[in-house]
């Protein structure tokens, strides 16, 4: 079983709570956690749930500024940093919940601890669900606000419909579809500038960053639900 001292991204990684060696590969049994250490892990995870909810409130406030005069690069950077920090906190919290489940299920713990764990799981699941909803809105709004970097559609002049071409022009251009495709391709190539290409590159990078922030909350909630189910069986 996993030592909560090995949970990454949290304050537990700097020490070994079991008093044993901290060497690589040392994996003490989770059931060796004494009551005070168990309560400490409960409290740390509860604090993480509070942090996730606080971040969601902050993200919801920032979301309202997207697309307004307050939509600065600083706002975008803040959204990214907050989401990355929240993702890390959620990962840490779900690992802690998993270990708490193993400890409480694998020993003769009092019912109070079983109920405490069940309540904490539900609180974490609710927080993650809130986070997933605001993340989706941020991603959709951010993508919609990104510049496309293609001005050809604005600058391209009116094109003679194929049906209005003279017969010899129709033969030369080969057919309706070919005429339109060649015209569109040539217009696009002639109108894209270095500035456009740079804007396109920046847009692609921005979309990659937005997608890197997205957490698969549905899978995490599903995993948490399965832990609740297992705990219910044990009770």
């Amino acid at each position: 079983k996993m030592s909560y001292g090995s949970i990454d991204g949290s304050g537990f990684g700097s020490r070994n709570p079991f008093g044993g060696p901290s060497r690589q590969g040392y994996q003490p049994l989770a059931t060796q956690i004494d009551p005070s250490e168990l309560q400490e892990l409960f409290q740390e995870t509860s604090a993480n749930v509070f942090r996730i909810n606080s971040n969601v409130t902050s993200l919801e406030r920032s979301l309202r500024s997207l697309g307004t005069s307050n939509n600065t690069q600083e706002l975008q950077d803040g959204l990214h940093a907050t989401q990355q920090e929240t993702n890390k906190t959620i990962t840490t919290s779900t690992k802690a919940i998993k270990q708490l489940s193993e400890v409480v299920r694998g020993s003769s713990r009092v019912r109070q601890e079983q109920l405490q764990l069940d309540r904490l799981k539900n609180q974490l699941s609710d927080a993650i669900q809130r986070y997933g909803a605001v993340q989706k809105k941020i991603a959709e709004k951010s993508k919609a606000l990104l510049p496309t970097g293609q001005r050809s559609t604005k600058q391209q002049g009116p094109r003679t419909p194929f049906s209005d071409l003279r017969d010899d022009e129709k033969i030369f251009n080969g057919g309706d579809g070919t005429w339109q495709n060649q015209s569109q391709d040539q217009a696009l190539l002639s109108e894209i500038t270095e500035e456009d290409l740079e804007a396109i590159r920046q847009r692609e990078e921005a979309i990659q960053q937005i997608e890197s922030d997205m957490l698969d909350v549905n899978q995490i909630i599903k995993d948490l639900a399965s832990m609740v189910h297992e705990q219910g069986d044990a009770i």
Side-chain angles (χ1 to χ4, degrees):
K1 295 187 186 292
M2 180 180 67
S3 156
Y4 80 73
S6 68
I7 295 172
D8 60 350
S10 75
F12 302 115
S14 59
R15 58 192 170 82
N16 184 347
F18 307 101
S22 299
R23 66 181 183 273
Q24 183 69 24
Y26 178 73
Q27 292 292 333
L29 294 175
T31 50
Q32 290 176 346
I33 298 179
D34 66 33
S36 64
E37 289 168 335
L38 185 68
Q39 282 306 311
E40 182 183 349
L41 186 53
F42 267 120
Q43 289 166 10
E44 289 284 351
T45 308
S46 182
N48 279 343
V49 172
F50 179 82
R51 186 177 298 116
I52 293 164
N53 277 315
S54 295
N55 285 355
V56 169
T57 300
S58 173
L59 289 170
E60 287 171 342
R61 190 162 51 244
S62 297
L63 174 63
R64 291 193 288 272
S65 294
L66 282 176
T68 69
S69 58
N70 296 322
N71 187 19
T72 61
Q73 186 60 45
E74 185 179 0
L75 175 70
Q76 294 286 350
D77 292 343
L79 283 169
H80 176 62
T82 301
Q83 289 182 86
Q84 288 289 311
E85 195 267 340
T86 307
N87 291 349
K88 190 175 181 181
T89 304
I90 288 173
T91 300
T92 299
S93 301
T94 51
K95 286 182 178 180
I97 287 287
K98 179 172 173 57
Q99 188 184 5
L100 283 167
S101 297
E102 292 172 351
V103 173
V104 174
R105 188 177 71 243
S107 63
S108 55
R109 298 289 176 180
V110 295
R111 182 172 176 80
Q112 181 182 352
E113 288 178 345
Q114 295 171 340
L115 294 174
Q116 185 181 5
L117 173 60
D118 206 37
R119 185 166 59 250
L120 188 57
K121 285 176 181 175
N122 290 334
Q123 289 171 347
L124 178 59
S125 183
D126 289 345
I128 293 172
Q129 202 155 11
R130 277 188 67 205
Y131 177 58
V134 74
Q135 264 206 316
K136 186 177 179 182
K137 291 177 184 176
I138 288 170
E140 289 173 349
K141 198 167 182 180
S142 295
K143 287 179 182 178
L145 291 170
L146 289 173
T148 61
Q150 296 184 21
R151 302 193 304 263
S152 59
T153 52
K154 297 177 186 175
Q155 296 180 353
Q156 185 178 329
R159 186 173 66 248
T160 305
F162 181 78
S163 57
D164 293 343
L165 293 177
R166 297 194 308 273
D167 287 343
D168 59 336
E169 287 179 327
K170 288 182 181 180
I171 294 169
F172 177 75
N173 283 294
D176 194 0
T178 306
W179 158 245
Q180 289 184 355
N181 289 338
Q182 285 179 343
S183 176
Q184 289 170 351
D185 291 344
Q186 288 169 358
L188 189 62
L189 287 171
S190 64
E191 295 296 340
I192 291 182
T193 64
E194 287 296 325
E195 183 184 342
D196 290 328
L197 291 173
E198 176 62 17
I200 292 169
R201 185 189 65 77
Q202 289 178 354
R203 175 185 170 84
E204 288 174 349
E205 285 183 358
I207 289 175
Q208 286 175 359
Q209 178 172 292
I210 291 167
E211 290 176 346
S212 76
D213 291 336
M214 294 295 290
L215 207 63
D216 188 356
V217 296
N218 291 332
Q219 185 58 49
I220 294 172
I221 291 171
K222 184 178 177 182
D223 292 342
L224 281 171
S226 70
M227 292 179 203
V228 172
H229 178 70
E230 290 170 4
Q231 185 62 32
D233 290 346
I235 294 173

